[in-house]
Amino acid sequence: MSSLFRGEEMQLCQIYFKSEVAYSCVSQLGEMGIVQFKDLNENVNAFQRKFVNEVRRCEEIERKLRYIEKEAVKEEVELDEADQTCDAPKPKDMITLEAKIDQLEHDLVEVNTNKDALRKNYLELIELKHILVKATQFFEEHNQSELEDTMSKTVMSMEGPLVIDSIVAPSMRLGFLAGIMNRDKVSSFELMLWRFCRGNVFLKTADLTELVEDVTTNTLQAKTVFIIFFQGEQLKNKCKKICDGFKATIYPCPETLKERREMLNGVSMRLDELKTVLDQSLNLRRSILVNAAQSIKTWFAQVHKMKAIYHTLNMFSHDQKSIIAECWAPKSEINRIREILDLETKKIDMNFQTIVHFITSKEAPPTFNRVDKFTSGFQNIVNAYGVPSYREINPTPFYAITFPFLFGVMFGDAGHGLLMLLAAGYLIKKENYLKKAIKGNEIFELFFGGRYIMFLMAVFSIYAGFLYNDFFSKSTNIFGSKWKVTLGKDFPFEDIQQFTLNPDPYANETYKMYSGTPYPFGIDPVWQLATNKITFTNGLKMKFSVIIGIMQMVFGLVIGLKNHLFFRRKISILFEFIPQIIFISLIFVYLCLMIFIKWIKYAGTDDKLTGACAPNILLELINMFFLKDGTVTVVDGEKKYDECKRLYPGQHHIQMVFVIVAVLCVPVMLFTKPLLKLREHNKRTKYGSRFRGHVNPLSVNGHSSDEDDKHDKAERMGHTSNSVINLEDDAELENEEHFEFGEVFVEQTIHTIEYFLGCVSHTASYLRLWALSLAHAELSEVLWTMLFKMGLNMAPPVGAFVMFFIFSAWGVITIGILCVMEGLSAFLHALRLHWVEFQSKFYKGEGYEFMPFSFEKILNEAELAE
């Protein structure tokens, strides 16, 4: 939890590897996933680095594995899960793995080539078989037709040749072409033949009753067999060109019936042989893929790890015998890193030791916050605004409570919260299954990643719903109302439209309508029947919104104080935090105090202190800023005092003091901090110029005792000397190389104006809690009135029939609009309140995220990319 609250302390390390052990050491660091390496070769082209050839080999192996995986998926072979415990292969094992995958790819390519050739021949023979069968039917059908009569001089019976011998001149011989084509192209094909051949050809077609697999596309298509009769070579060439244009396939077809039958028998025998060979080829292909499927994902994991190692080694500095790496690592993990490196080094060379050396740097360390599946969603929300600065307080632990709470305030309905709770509970219960099922669907992955956020938002929505006493816009009377009507039967109820209940718990039994004790939890259900329900709930929710907002802003200032104390920012504590907390306390915390005083004082138990004379809090705040007494009214030049409107004795004088002190906080925050920085800068500049060039005789190894003092102070604060410590207000640890008073003053001016004006605007911004809660409640109420109430007022049996459709419409609108759209709106407003109103009080978010070299992360990213 401490790591989540404030990022871990980081250490910049320099590691000296021996060349022989660098690969295995980096592999173990990748398994640990707690080291972020720096690129020491930023100016070197990626193609000129030492291990570029090894990276290319890994990419080539990945290409081959993707090809094998694609073929396995196409064959519907189930792939075994990767062995997550597999280690990255050693460089010498890479040759064996590469040879195995090369051989597997070669065998698969060869089998696929043979299979494709056999399948093509098989499909062509099937088409030829259909053509021979249809051609025989053509000639038999027209054996006694009119076409045979007209061609009797040149054509013999179908038993003999289609065109007879030398009795007929060669120019009078008829030829024909037989082929097959897609059925949807037949009409265009026939029209084209007619136009280009000027009607000098005869076309006969027959549709196949079954779908035939196309030779080129390998898809089942509706085909049509055709025969074209023509006379002369010129028409024959034209017909062939037209067939090519329509991608029709022409097959040889004998002229005599005997030859056609012989060819048909030969085709049938050849099909049987090809079928047998093709089945054997498919079985061989499947067996190869089944064997590969057992290891392909494990091979993928090994190659990804191996490639990541070589990419990392390319970031190191190399010489003839050793390799030097620089990395950021959590200080708490340094000992474990050393143990792992020593263990791997001794496996190869007992006489060598990998050296881990701490180095100093002015570079800002990365921010490392340990998260789990519960807190990762909230951390992502924080990082979307800005990664916490190094060692800055991380808002994520506070988000886990305040974010769903503010959402629940805006989305307060126990019924709608229950629906959201069921959805979030399903996502949590089935998270292991859904993690794989929704892979690649960005929208569902977004909801799935925020399942725990949804769960907490649903819980707080139910809580707020019970506070508001709203369950699908209707109230529940769980504990029994504390109000009752005690009027007699002779009371003329029919003569009045409205009746005000007596709130005095001490009235006599006849007129006592309030028991004197409030409803145990939430709003009394009697308000559901009141005509002034909206007026009452509006005032209540509006004040709650202001109180919640001011509490959260004050809490943000307290977190800022924790940051100042941790970083020893003395100036910021004295002349930034203190003016800020005084200003917001004297104005806005006092506003909350007035609200509570009004609730307590004007409770309806005193006849003189009724709600009618209660002061308006907004007017009281305005009068406070203008130093006016709200109890004084001028009538005809005379001042009249209304003591009923006075919240407490001496209110006017106390408010005047509060306003004056709050206004004085502005120049204190605006001028003091820049002037103190300027004075300290001048003092250090004068001191430095006086002793510049002189060596302190008390220094050790040329380092002054001042530097040692700085180091000691940093160590006391929990930092190392290489850490970038954000001590902008600690003069002894501040970098004074560059100081511009104008820049500092302008920055402080912007910060001051932003804070003091922001207190007003941010307080008003929290009224969105009331506004969205009101909108959600009213939409739910309108939906009930427009749909359910209309159906319930219908007489049976028509009402029962109509209610079925009304309930369906109500359910769709409730889930689609009130839960999804209103929920998204409340989520975005809660996000804005945290990013702007809350975090502006303490959060800088100027860091960068710790990105460790982790095989687990690399494999997850590779799996998502696939």
Side-chain angles (χ1 to χ4, degrees), residues 671-700:
F671 296 108
T672 308
K673 186 175 177 180
L675 291 176
L676 288 176
K677 282 189 174 184
L678 178 62
R679 188 189 70 173
E680 191 64 30
H681 171 71
N682 293 336
K683 183 189 298 185
R684 293 177 65 85
T685 303
K686 182 179 180 181
Y687 177 83
S689 62
R690 182 180 302 174
F691 293 98
R692 186 176 292 121
H694 297 275
V695 178
N696 190 340
L698 298 178
S699 64
V700 180

PDB file of all heavy atoms in Angstrom, residues 671-700:
ATOM      1  N   PHE A 671       3.368  37.597  -3.084  1.00  0.00           N
ATOM      2  CA  PHE A 671       4.674  38.279  -3.073  1.00  0.00           C
ATOM      3  C   PHE A 671       5.730  37.567  -2.231  1.00  0.00           C
ATOM      4  O   PHE A 671       6.911  37.625  -2.561  1.00  0.00           O
ATOM      5  CB  PHE A 671       4.502  39.717  -2.554  1.00  0.00           C
ATOM      6  CG  PHE A 671       3.643  40.574  -3.429  1.00  0.00           C
ATOM      7  CD1 PHE A 671       2.372  40.943  -3.022  1.00  0.00           C
ATOM      8  CD2 PHE A 671       4.096  41.008  -4.664  1.00  0.00           C
ATOM      9  CE1 PHE A 671       1.573  41.736  -3.823  1.00  0.00           C
ATOM     10  CE2 PHE A 671       3.297  41.792  -5.479  1.00  0.00           C
ATOM     11  CZ  PHE A 671       2.030  42.165  -5.058  1.00  0.00           C
ATOM     12  N   THR A 672       5.342  36.927  -1.155  1.00  0.00           N
ATOM     13  CA  THR A 672       6.331  36.448  -0.191  1.00  0.00           C
ATOM     14  C   THR A 672       7.251  35.384  -0.788  1.00  0.00           C
ATOM     15  O   THR A 672       8.479  35.476  -0.673  1.00  0.00           O
ATOM     16  CB  THR A 672       5.621  35.881   1.051  1.00  0.00           C
ATOM     17  OG1 THR A 672       4.691  36.845   1.540  1.00  0.00           O
ATOM     18  CG2 THR A 672       6.634  35.545   2.124  1.00  0.00           C
ATOM     19  N   LYS A 673       6.695  34.398  -1.417  1.00  0.00           N
ATOM     20  CA  LYS A 673       7.506  33.293  -1.926  1.00  0.00           C
ATOM     21  C   LYS A 673       8.502  33.743  -2.988  1.00  0.00           C
ATOM     22  O   LYS A 673       9.695  33.404  -2.897  1.00  0.00           O
ATOM     23  CB  LYS A 673       6.580  32.191  -2.468  1.00  0.00           C
ATOM     24  CG  LYS A 673       7.302  30.940  -2.894  1.00  0.00           C
ATOM     25  CD  LYS A 673       6.297  29.865  -3.311  1.00  0.00           C
ATOM     26  CE  LYS A 673       7.005  28.620  -3.806  1.00  0.00           C
ATOM     27  NZ  LYS A 673       6.048  27.562  -4.212  1.00  0.00           N
ATOM     28  N   PRO A 674       8.117  34.520  -4.025  1.00  0.00           N
ATOM     29  CA  PRO A 674       9.120  34.980  -4.999  1.00  0.00           C
ATOM     30  C   PRO A 674      10.204  35.853  -4.372  1.00  0.00           C
ATOM     31  O   PRO A 674      11.388  35.746  -4.741  1.00  0.00           O
ATOM     32  CB  PRO A 674       8.286  35.749  -6.029  1.00  0.00           C
ATOM     33  CG  PRO A 674       6.908  35.230  -5.891  1.00  0.00           C
ATOM     34  CD  PRO A 674       6.751  34.899  -4.446  1.00  0.00           C
ATOM     35  N   LEU A 675       9.823  36.735  -3.421  1.00  0.00           N
ATOM     36  CA  LEU A 675      10.813  37.620  -2.809  1.00  0.00           C
ATOM     37  C   LEU A 675      11.806  36.834  -1.956  1.00  0.00           C
ATOM     38  O   LEU A 675      13.009  37.140  -1.951  1.00  0.00           O
ATOM     39  CB  LEU A 675      10.105  38.682  -1.966  1.00  0.00           C
ATOM     40  CG  LEU A 675       9.294  39.721  -2.757  1.00  0.00           C
ATOM     41  CD1 LEU A 675       8.555  40.652  -1.809  1.00  0.00           C
ATOM     42  CD2 LEU A 675      10.184  40.517  -3.708  1.00  0.00           C
ATOM     43  N   LEU A 676      11.336  35.845  -1.241  1.00  0.00           N
ATOM     44  CA  LEU A 676      12.249  35.018  -0.457  1.00  0.00           C
ATOM     45  C   LEU A 676      13.192  34.229  -1.354  1.00  0.00           C
ATOM     46  O   LEU A 676      14.374  34.060  -1.030  1.00  0.00           O
ATOM     47  CB  LEU A 676      11.452  34.074   0.440  1.00  0.00           C
ATOM     48  CG  LEU A 676      10.738  34.724   1.636  1.00  0.00           C
ATOM     49  CD1 LEU A 676       9.911  33.686   2.381  1.00  0.00           C
ATOM     50  CD2 LEU A 676      11.742  35.375   2.574  1.00  0.00           C
ATOM     51  N   LYS A 677      12.693  33.751  -2.471  1.00  0.00           N
ATOM     52  CA  LYS A 677      13.567  33.057  -3.418  1.00  0.00           C
ATOM     53  C   LYS A 677      14.625  34.000  -3.981  1.00  0.00           C
ATOM     54  O   LYS A 677      15.792  33.616  -4.150  1.00  0.00           O
ATOM     55  CB  LYS A 677      12.732  32.456  -4.557  1.00  0.00           C
ATOM     56  CG  LYS A 677      12.006  31.180  -4.193  1.00  0.00           C
ATOM     57  CD  LYS A 677      11.408  30.550  -5.431  1.00  0.00           C
ATOM     58  CE  LYS A 677      10.801  29.189  -5.132  1.00  0.00           C
ATOM     59  NZ  LYS A 677      10.305  28.529  -6.342  1.00  0.00           N
ATOM     60  N   LEU A 678      14.207  35.220  -4.289  1.00  0.00           N
ATOM     61  CA  LEU A 678      15.160  36.201  -4.814  1.00  0.00           C
ATOM     62  C   LEU A 678      16.234  36.519  -3.772  1.00  0.00           C
ATOM     63  O   LEU A 678      17.431  36.586  -4.100  1.00  0.00           O
ATOM     64  CB  LEU A 678      14.415  37.472  -5.233  1.00  0.00           C
ATOM     65  CG  LEU A 678      15.279  38.620  -5.759  1.00  0.00           C
ATOM     66  CD1 LEU A 678      16.009  38.191  -7.032  1.00  0.00           C
ATOM     67  CD2 LEU A 678      14.431  39.856  -6.016  1.00  0.00           C
ATOM     68  N   ARG A 679      15.831  36.718  -2.519  1.00  0.00           N
ATOM     69  CA  ARG A 679      16.804  37.027  -1.473  1.00  0.00           C
ATOM     70  C   ARG A 679      17.787  35.869  -1.283  1.00  0.00           C
ATOM     71  O   ARG A 679      19.003  36.073  -1.171  1.00  0.00           O
ATOM     72  CB  ARG A 679      16.081  37.313  -0.160  1.00  0.00           C
ATOM     73  CG  ARG A 679      17.009  37.840   0.933  1.00  0.00           C
ATOM     74  CD  ARG A 679      16.302  37.891   2.267  1.00  0.00           C
ATOM     75  NE  ARG A 679      16.058  36.537   2.779  1.00  0.00           N
ATOM     76  CZ  ARG A 679      15.570  36.278   3.994  1.00  0.00           C
ATOM     77  NH1 ARG A 679      15.242  37.280   4.805  1.00  0.00           N
ATOM     78  NH2 ARG A 679      15.378  35.042   4.388  1.00  0.00           N
ATOM     79  N   GLU A 680      17.272  34.665  -1.285  1.00  0.00           N
ATOM     80  CA  GLU A 680      18.155  33.513  -1.111  1.00  0.00           C
ATOM     81  C   GLU A 680      19.099  33.351  -2.293  1.00  0.00           C
ATOM     82  O   GLU A 680      20.269  32.994  -2.129  1.00  0.00           O
ATOM     83  CB  GLU A 680      17.303  32.251  -0.927  1.00  0.00           C
ATOM     84  CG  GLU A 680      18.070  31.033  -0.471  1.00  0.00           C
ATOM     85  CD  GLU A 680      18.658  31.216   0.903  1.00  0.00           C
ATOM     86  OE1 GLU A 680      18.063  31.959   1.723  1.00  0.00           O
ATOM     87  OE2 GLU A 680      19.739  30.647   1.158  1.00  0.00           O
ATOM     88  N   HIS A 681      18.587  33.623  -3.489  1.00  0.00           N
ATOM     89  CA  HIS A 681      19.436  33.537  -4.679  1.00  0.00           C
ATOM     90  C   HIS A 681      20.561  34.561  -4.625  1.00  0.00           C
ATOM     91  O   HIS A 681      21.728  34.252  -4.929  1.00  0.00           O
ATOM     92  CB  HIS A 681      18.582  33.757  -5.934  1.00  0.00           C
ATOM     93  CG  HIS A 681      19.385  33.897  -7.191  1.00  0.00           C
ATOM     94  ND1 HIS A 681      20.054  32.849  -7.781  1.00  0.00           N
ATOM     95  CD2 HIS A 681      19.652  35.007  -7.966  1.00  0.00           C
ATOM     96  CE1 HIS A 681      20.682  33.278  -8.860  1.00  0.00           C
ATOM     97  NE2 HIS A 681      20.453  34.573  -8.988  1.00  0.00           N
ATOM     98  N   ASN A 682      20.235  35.790  -4.233  1.00  0.00           N
ATOM     99  CA  ASN A 682      21.268  36.829  -4.134  1.00  0.00           C
ATOM    100  C   ASN A 682      22.296  36.470  -3.067  1.00  0.00           C
ATOM    101  O   ASN A 682      23.504  36.695  -3.247  1.00  0.00           O
ATOM    102  CB  ASN A 682      20.617  38.176  -3.812  1.00  0.00           C
ATOM    103  CG  ASN A 682      19.767  38.682  -4.962  1.00  0.00           C
ATOM    104  OD1 ASN A 682      19.987  38.312  -6.123  1.00  0.00           O
ATOM    105  ND2 ASN A 682      18.786  39.513  -4.662  1.00  0.00           N
ATOM    106  N   LYS A 683      21.835  35.907  -1.956  1.00  0.00           N
ATOM    107  CA  LYS A 683      22.758  35.537  -0.892  1.00  0.00           C
ATOM    108  C   LYS A 683      23.715  34.444  -1.359  1.00  0.00           C
ATOM    109  O   LYS A 683      24.930  34.521  -1.129  1.00  0.00           O
ATOM    110  CB  LYS A 683      21.968  35.062   0.323  1.00  0.00           C
ATOM    111  CG  LYS A 683      22.850  34.724   1.539  1.00  0.00           C
ATOM    112  CD  LYS A 683      22.040  34.050   2.625  1.00  0.00           C
ATOM    113  CE  LYS A 683      20.943  34.980   3.113  1.00  0.00           C
ATOM    114  NZ  LYS A 683      20.210  34.357   4.267  1.00  0.00           N
ATOM    115  N   ARG A 684      23.182  33.443  -2.022  1.00  0.00           N
ATOM    116  CA  ARG A 684      24.029  32.341  -2.489  1.00  0.00           C
ATOM    117  C   ARG A 684      24.961  32.787  -3.602  1.00  0.00           C
ATOM    118  O   ARG A 684      26.089  32.312  -3.704  1.00  0.00           O
ATOM    119  CB  ARG A 684      23.145  31.181  -2.949  1.00  0.00           C
ATOM    120  CG  ARG A 684      22.371  30.520  -1.828  1.00  0.00           C
ATOM    121  CD  ARG A 684      21.458  29.434  -2.348  1.00  0.00           C
ATOM    122  NE  ARG A 684      22.215  28.343  -2.934  1.00  0.00           N
ATOM    123  CZ  ARG A 684      22.716  27.336  -2.241  1.00  0.00           C
ATOM    124  NH1 ARG A 684      22.551  27.281  -0.929  1.00  0.00           N
ATOM    125  NH2 ARG A 684      23.395  26.376  -2.840  1.00  0.00           N
ATOM    126  N   THR A 685      24.470  33.695  -4.462  1.00  0.00           N
ATOM    127  CA  THR A 685      25.340  34.211  -5.525  1.00  0.00           C
ATOM    128  C   THR A 685      26.503  34.996  -4.941  1.00  0.00           C
ATOM    129  O   THR A 685      27.666  34.851  -5.361  1.00  0.00           O
ATOM    130  CB  THR A 685      24.521  35.095  -6.474  1.00  0.00           C
ATOM    131  OG1 THR A 685      23.435  34.348  -6.994  1.00  0.00           O
ATOM    132  CG2 THR A 685      25.392  35.589  -7.618  1.00  0.00           C
ATOM    133  N   LYS A 686      26.217  35.829  -3.952  1.00  0.00           N
ATOM    134  CA  LYS A 686      27.271  36.619  -3.306  1.00  0.00           C
ATOM    135  C   LYS A 686      28.250  35.705  -2.587  1.00  0.00           C
ATOM    136  O   LYS A 686      29.473  35.874  -2.681  1.00  0.00           O
ATOM    137  CB  LYS A 686      26.630  37.598  -2.329  1.00  0.00           C
ATOM    138  CG  LYS A 686      27.624  38.515  -1.639  1.00  0.00           C
ATOM    139  CD  LYS A 686      26.900  39.479  -0.711  1.00  0.00           C
ATOM    140  CE  LYS A 686      27.900  40.404  -0.015  1.00  0.00           C
ATOM    141  NZ  LYS A 686      27.208  41.349   0.913  1.00  0.00           N
ATOM    142  N   TYR A 687      27.742  34.714  -1.898  1.00  0.00           N
ATOM    143  CA  TYR A 687      28.610  33.782  -1.178  1.00  0.00           C
ATOM    144  C   TYR A 687      29.450  32.961  -2.150  1.00  0.00           C
ATOM    145  O   TYR A 687      30.646  32.758  -1.958  1.00  0.00           O
ATOM    146  CB  TYR A 687      27.740  32.859  -0.322  1.00  0.00           C
ATOM    147  CG  TYR A 687      28.512  31.796   0.438  1.00  0.00           C
ATOM    148  CD1 TYR A 687      29.117  32.094   1.655  1.00  0.00           C
ATOM    149  CD2 TYR A 687      28.645  30.512  -0.070  1.00  0.00           C
ATOM    150  CE1 TYR A 687      29.819  31.121   2.351  1.00  0.00           C
ATOM    151  CE2 TYR A 687      29.350  29.545   0.615  1.00  0.00           C
ATOM    152  CZ  TYR A 687      29.932  29.852   1.826  1.00  0.00           C
ATOM    153  OH  TYR A 687      30.629  28.901   2.501  1.00  0.00           O
ATOM    154  N   GLY A 688      28.857  32.544  -3.250  1.00  0.00           N
ATOM    155  CA  GLY A 688      29.587  31.737  -4.221  1.00  0.00           C
ATOM    156  C   GLY A 688      30.678  32.516  -4.916  1.00  0.00           C
ATOM    157  O   GLY A 688      31.758  32.000  -5.200  1.00  0.00           O
ATOM    158  N   SER A 689      30.412  33.793  -5.262  1.00  0.00           N
ATOM    159  CA  SER A 689      31.439  34.601  -5.943  1.00  0.00           C
ATOM    160  C   SER A 689      32.611  34.900  -5.025  1.00  0.00           C
ATOM    161  O   SER A 689      33.754  35.039  -5.476  1.00  0.00           O
ATOM    162  CB  SER A 689      30.809  35.909  -6.433  1.00  0.00           C
ATOM    163  OG  SER A 689      30.337  36.672  -5.330  1.00  0.00           O
ATOM    164  N   ARG A 690      32.368  34.946  -3.749  1.00  0.00           N
ATOM    165  CA  ARG A 690      33.447  35.253  -2.812  1.00  0.00           C
ATOM    166  C   ARG A 690      34.398  34.073  -2.667  1.00  0.00           C
ATOM    167  O   ARG A 690      35.617  34.252  -2.554  1.00  0.00           O
ATOM    168  CB  ARG A 690      32.858  35.606  -1.452  1.00  0.00           C
ATOM    169  CG  ARG A 690      33.911  35.990  -0.404  1.00  0.00           C
ATOM    170  CD  ARG A 690      33.245  36.317   0.921  1.00  0.00           C
ATOM    171  NE  ARG A 690      32.276  37.400   0.759  1.00  0.00           N
ATOM    172  CZ  ARG A 690      31.474  37.801   1.742  1.00  0.00           C
ATOM    173  NH1 ARG A 690      31.521  37.211   2.932  1.00  0.00           N
ATOM    174  NH2 ARG A 690      30.617  38.799   1.533  1.00  0.00           N
ATOM    175  N   PHE A 691      33.859  32.866  -2.692  1.00  0.00           N
ATOM    176  CA  PHE A 691      34.701  31.695  -2.448  1.00  0.00           C
ATOM    177  C   PHE A 691      34.917  30.860  -3.698  1.00  0.00           C
ATOM    178  O   PHE A 691      35.405  29.742  -3.604  1.00  0.00           O
ATOM    179  CB  PHE A 691      34.064  30.814  -1.359  1.00  0.00           C
ATOM    180  CG  PHE A 691      34.048  31.470  -0.020  1.00  0.00           C
ATOM    181  CD1 PHE A 691      32.895  32.111   0.431  1.00  0.00           C
ATOM    182  CD2 PHE A 691      35.168  31.466   0.787  1.00  0.00           C
ATOM    183  CE1 PHE A 691      32.875  32.713   1.668  1.00  0.00           C
ATOM    184  CE2 PHE A 691      35.141  32.069   2.036  1.00  0.00           C
ATOM    185  CZ  PHE A 691      33.992  32.705   2.475  1.00  0.00           C
ATOM    186  N   ARG A 692      34.520  31.368  -4.871  1.00  0.00           N
ATOM    187  CA  ARG A 692      34.687  30.599  -6.094  1.00  0.00           C
ATOM    188  C   ARG A 692      36.172  30.414  -6.393  1.00  0.00           C
ATOM    189  O   ARG A 692      36.956  31.357  -6.348  1.00  0.00           O
ATOM    190  CB  ARG A 692      33.987  31.277  -7.263  1.00  0.00           C
ATOM    191  CG  ARG A 692      33.996  30.438  -8.537  1.00  0.00           C
ATOM    192  CD  ARG A 692      33.212  31.127  -9.632  1.00  0.00           C
ATOM    193  NE  ARG A 692      31.776  31.154  -9.312  1.00  0.00           N
ATOM    194  CZ  ARG A 692      31.086  32.276  -9.198  1.00  0.00           C
ATOM    195  NH1 ARG A 692      31.689  33.437  -9.362  1.00  0.00           N
ATOM    196  NH2 ARG A 692      29.812  32.231  -8.899  1.00  0.00           N
ATOM    197  N   GLY A 693      36.570  29.215  -6.689  1.00  0.00           N
ATOM    198  CA  GLY A 693      37.961  28.919  -7.000  1.00  0.00           C
ATOM    199  C   GLY A 693      38.763  28.461  -5.805  1.00  0.00           C
ATOM    200  O   GLY A 693      39.909  28.040  -5.950  1.00  0.00           O
ATOM    201  N   HIS A 694      38.221  28.573  -4.594  1.00  0.00           N
ATOM    202  CA  HIS A 694      38.932  28.134  -3.391  1.00  0.00           C
ATOM    203  C   HIS A 694      38.422  26.759  -2.991  1.00  0.00           C
ATOM    204  O   HIS A 694      37.240  26.449  -3.122  1.00  0.00           O
ATOM    205  CB  HIS A 694      38.706  29.128  -2.246  1.00  0.00           C
ATOM    206  CG  HIS A 694      39.260  30.496  -2.529  1.00  0.00           C
ATOM    207  ND1 HIS A 694      40.572  30.832  -2.282  1.00  0.00           N
ATOM    208  CD2 HIS A 694      38.673  31.604  -3.056  1.00  0.00           C
ATOM    209  CE1 HIS A 694      40.780  32.088  -2.622  1.00  0.00           C
ATOM    210  NE2 HIS A 694      39.642  32.584  -3.107  1.00  0.00           N
ATOM    211  N   VAL A 695      39.316  25.948  -2.466  1.00  0.00           N
ATOM    212  CA  VAL A 695      38.972  24.604  -2.032  1.00  0.00           C
ATOM    213  C   VAL A 695      38.851  24.583  -0.536  1.00  0.00           C
ATOM    214  O   VAL A 695      39.716  25.103   0.182  1.00  0.00           O
ATOM    215  CB  VAL A 695      40.035  23.578  -2.496  1.00  0.00           C
ATOM    216  CG1 VAL A 695      39.678  22.182  -1.999  1.00  0.00           C
ATOM    217  CG2 VAL A 695      40.148  23.610  -4.011  1.00  0.00           C
ATOM    218  N   ASN A 696      37.805  24.035  -0.040  1.00  0.00           N
ATOM    219  CA  ASN A 696      37.596  23.926   1.392  1.00  0.00           C
ATOM    220  C   ASN A 696      38.611  22.952   1.975  1.00  0.00           C
ATOM    221  O   ASN A 696      38.694  21.806   1.541  1.00  0.00           O
ATOM    222  CB  ASN A 696      36.173  23.431   1.672  1.00  0.00           C
ATOM    223  CG  ASN A 696      35.815  23.527   3.141  1.00  0.00           C
ATOM    224  OD1 ASN A 696      36.687  23.612   4.003  1.00  0.00           O
ATOM    225  ND2 ASN A 696      34.516  23.503   3.416  1.00  0.00           N
ATOM    226  N   PRO A 697      39.436  23.407   2.916  1.00  0.00           N
ATOM    227  CA  PRO A 697      40.437  22.490   3.469  1.00  0.00           C
ATOM    228  C   PRO A 697      39.811  21.324   4.205  1.00  0.00           C
ATOM    229  O   PRO A 697      40.479  20.329   4.456  1.00  0.00           O
ATOM    230  CB  PRO A 697      41.231  23.388   4.426  1.00  0.00           C
ATOM    231  CG  PRO A 697      40.307  24.505   4.775  1.00  0.00           C
ATOM    232  CD  PRO A 697      39.485  24.742   3.553  1.00  0.00           C
ATOM    233  N   LEU A 698      38.538  21.428   4.572  1.00  0.00           N
ATOM    234  CA  LEU A 698      37.879  20.335   5.274  1.00  0.00           C
ATOM    235  C   LEU A 698      37.239  19.338   4.315  1.00  0.00           C
ATOM    236  O   LEU A 698      36.603  18.379   4.757  1.00  0.00           O
ATOM    237  CB  LEU A 698      36.800  20.885   6.220  1.00  0.00           C
ATOM    238  CG  LEU A 698      37.316  21.810   7.323  1.00  0.00           C
ATOM    239  CD1 LEU A 698      36.141  22.312   8.150  1.00  0.00           C
ATOM    240  CD2 LEU A 698      38.339  21.108   8.209  1.00  0.00           C
ATOM    241  N   SER A 699      37.363  19.629   3.010  1.00  0.00           N
ATOM    242  CA  SER A 699      36.729  18.732   2.044  1.00  0.00           C
ATOM    243  C   SER A 699      37.490  17.429   1.955  1.00  0.00           C
ATOM    244  O   SER A 699      38.688  17.358   2.229  1.00  0.00           O
ATOM    245  CB  SER A 699      36.667  19.396   0.660  1.00  0.00           C
ATOM    246  OG  SER A 699      37.973  19.610   0.171  1.00  0.00           O
ATOM    247  N   VAL A 700      36.752  16.381   1.546  1.00  0.00           N
ATOM    248  CA  VAL A 700      37.340  15.058   1.389  1.00  0.00           C
ATOM    249  C   VAL A 700      37.289  14.697  -0.081  1.00  0.00           C
ATOM    250  O   VAL A 700      36.223  14.711  -0.689  1.00  0.00           O
ATOM    251  CB  VAL A 700      36.573  14.011   2.225  1.00  0.00           C
ATOM    252  CG1 VAL A 700      37.195  12.635   2.052  1.00  0.00           C
ATOM    253  CG2 VAL A 700      36.583  14.427   3.690  1.00  0.00           C
TER     254      VAL A 700
END
